[in-house]
Amino acid sequence: MQKNTLKSGLEISEVGLGCMSLGTNIDKAQPIVEEAINQGITYFDTADLYDFGENEKLLGTILKQYKQNHNIVIGSKVGNHFNKETKEKYWDPSKEHIISSIKDSLLRLNLEQLDLYMLHGGTIEDNKDETIEAFERLKEEGLIKAYGISSIRPNVIDYYLNNSNIETIMMQFSLLDNRPESLINKIEEQGVKILARGPVSKGLLTDNHQTVLDNKFKDGFLDYNSNDLESTIKKLDQAFESLSTLTFNYLKSFDALGSIITGASSPEQIISNVKHYNEPLTDEQLNHARSIVKNLEFKDHLI
Ligand SMILES: NC(=O)c1ccc[n+]([C@@H]2O[C@H](COP(=O)([O-])OP(=O)(O)OC[C@H]3O[C@@H](n4cnc5c(N)ncnc54)[C@H](OP(=O)(O)O)[C@@H]3O)[C@@H](O)[C@H]2O)c1
């Protein structure tokens, strides 16, 4: 598996496991995480909010025995106050909240230092300088190795690119949701890496596309109404052997790519995703695929 290097020197596998939907049953989650490791995946994405802390705990327990020998890198996220009992949450990117939250995340993850800590969203109205100060302080204190943001707001991304030492930006990015393309040059210029989430669009860009189309995308997707979406998927399916190979190769074509963060509900899905990630495509094939999909653009949060 190809690894990509962040500014701090952290190396992350070019396919990562998104752990948000692993659930809380360790017997179901463990085989998925272990298959990811078998397939060469070393980057694992979680957040304090996922299952109100339980996802970090689960990952900490499963990865403990693998951490040393497999160069595992864990990324987690912060920015929400949450109450596990009442399931209430509210946004808080303050310095105080970030500095106190890392201790809970480290405890749950069984770690003394977190590799990558990301702001879990945020708007242009936040006190962003205070957030940046908090991440810088955690880095100085050795509690984190690197920090980044998870955002699909161009104005927020721009602020952090200009005013902080972020190393990663997580955003929804796939052959179908190609909105991030307009931001790529600037991201690359700053040496920041993209963590592309939603690469298979919840299964739409897999062999299982018809079922996923019927069950998860009845109302369409972004600028695609349901008819547009169905006909685009049909065209891609008729022209190519695998929609997954297309989306993985599309993402691999950007030098700013850090990792493709795929979610999976079974070990078989990971095997299939890594297989398709490894299948090459020619530039001509990729260009043909790109000519079939729409070129989307971010419409909100521009200034
Ligand atoms: N704001 C944020 O920071 C944010 C937001 C969202 C996600 N994330 C991160 O990104 C990760 C991935 O997000 P996502 O779950 O939206 O992305 P995704 O990878 O597009 O979707 C995952 C789902 O796609 C289906 N799938 C995956 N591989 C498949 C295959 N080979 N064949 C058939 N179906 C397949 C599965 O659906 P079924 O369960 O139906 O089988 C799986 O649960 C999350 O786990 C999380 O770590 C971060």
Side-chain angles (χ1 to χ4, degrees):
M1 170 82 60
Q2 157 84 27
K3 287 199 177 172
N4 294 319
T5 310
L6 307 186
K7 284 192 274 190
S8 55
L10 265 181
E11 289 195 335
I12 56 176
S13 53
E14 199 164 70
V15 178
L17 183 67
C19 298
M20 180 177 71
S21 308
L22 282 180
T24 50
N25 180 337
I26 194 156
D27 294 332
K28 282 195 183 151
Q30 184 143 353
I32 297 177
V33 174
E34 289 181 344
E35 189 56 58
I37 295 170
N38 283 340
Q39 295 296 320
I41 289 175
T42 59
Y43 179 65
F44 293 83
D45 180 80
T46 181
D48 58 1
L49 187 64
Y50 296 166
D51 287 320
F52 300 96
E54 290 302 309
N55 191 258
E56 285 185 332
K57 257 197 210 166
L58 180 97
L59 210 55
T61 306
I62 301 173
L63 288 178
K64 199 174 175 192
Q65 57 180 311
Y66 297 100
K67 186 88 180 83
Q68 219 57 15
N69 294 339
H70 294 264
N71 298 317
I72 301 291
V73 175
I74 298 175
S76 192
K77 310 187 200 82
V78 64
N80 289 285
H81 263 280
F82 56 88
N83 182 319
K84 203 177 153 192
E85 270 66 52
T86 61
K87 311 278 186 245
E88 283 166 324
K89 65 175 175 93
Y90 62 89
W91 180 241
D92 181 2
S94 68
K95 191 171 177 180
E96 193 188 354
H97 177 63
I98 293 173
I99 285 175
S100 76
S101 298
I102 187 68
K103 299 185 182 78
D104 298 328
S105 282
L106 289 174
L107 209 62
R108 289 188 291 254
L109 284 162
N110 260 311
L111 297 173
E112 282 174 8
Q113 184 187 44
L114 179 64
D115 300 306
L116 180 61
Y117 208 25
M118 282 177 286
L119 187 67
H120 203 169
T123 72
I124 201 71
E125 278 81 38
D126 293 342
N127 184 342
K128 299 170 292 302
D129 293 337
E130 187 182 321
T131 304
I132 294 165
E133 258 178 64
F135 283 123
E136 286 291 338
R137 185 163 139 194
L138 294 182
K139 223 164 69 163
E140 265 168 44
E141 289 176 356
L143 293 174
I144 62 171
K145 287 186 188 159
Y147 67 94
I149 56 166
S150 177
S151 178
I152 51 166
R153 291 182 159 94
N155 56 1
V156 173
I157 291 173
D158 215 48
Y159 191 89
Y160 281 90
L161 282 174
N162 289 332
N163 298 286
S164 78
N165 294 309
I166 53 163
E167 300 196 23
T168 54
I169 301 173
M170 171 171 269
M171 51 182 138
Q172 184 165 291
F173 195 12
S174 71
L175 181 66
L176 281 179
D177 183 359
N178 48 30
R179 292 175 300 172
E181 275 198 38
S182 61
L183 306 173
I184 293 275
N185 284 347
K186 179 133 199 218
I187 293 173
E188 202 181 322
E189 268 167 38
Q190 305 278 345
V192 171
K193 293 287 184 193
I194 295 173
L195 305 180
R197 65 173 170 87
V200 297
S201 263
K202 305 207 173 300
L204 190 55
L205 294 171
T206 69
D207 293 347
N208 200 27
H209 51 83
Q210 194 55 53
T211 313
V212 174
L213 202 52
D214 296 341
N215 294 336
K216 298 186 187 174
F217 290 93
K218 283 196 192 94
D219 298 328
F221 178 60
L222 299 170
D223 290 3
Y224 293 87
N225 65 30
S226 56
N227 288 338
D228 283 346
L229 191 61
E230 185 156 11
S231 74
T232 303
I233 294 295
K234 207 170 177 178
K235 277 187 208 152
L236 290 171
D237 187 41
Q238 280 165 354
F240 297 97
E241 236 168 74
S242 155
L243 304 191
S244 298
T245 304
L246 290 182
T247 193
F248 287 124
N249 275 277
Y250 168 72
L251 293 168
K252 271 157 69 173
S253 72
F254 298 101
D255 288 342
L257 177 68
S259 188
I260 304 169
I261 311 299
T262 60
S265 61
S266 68
E268 291 71 29
Q269 289 184 348
I270 295 181
I271 295 170
S272 163
N273 291 342
V274 173
K275 175 177 160 263
H276 292 302
Y277 156 81
N278 281 318
E279 281 165 358
L281 276 189
T282 64
D283 288 350
E284 267 169 316
Q285 286 173 306
L286 197 53
N287 288 339
H288 184 200
R290 291 173 81 140
S291 73
I292 294 173
V293 298
K294 295 187 187 199
N295 286 320
L296 304 189
E297 280 173 14
F298 287 115
K299 290 179 182 146
D300 301 320
H301 311 291
L302 298 175
I303 46 171

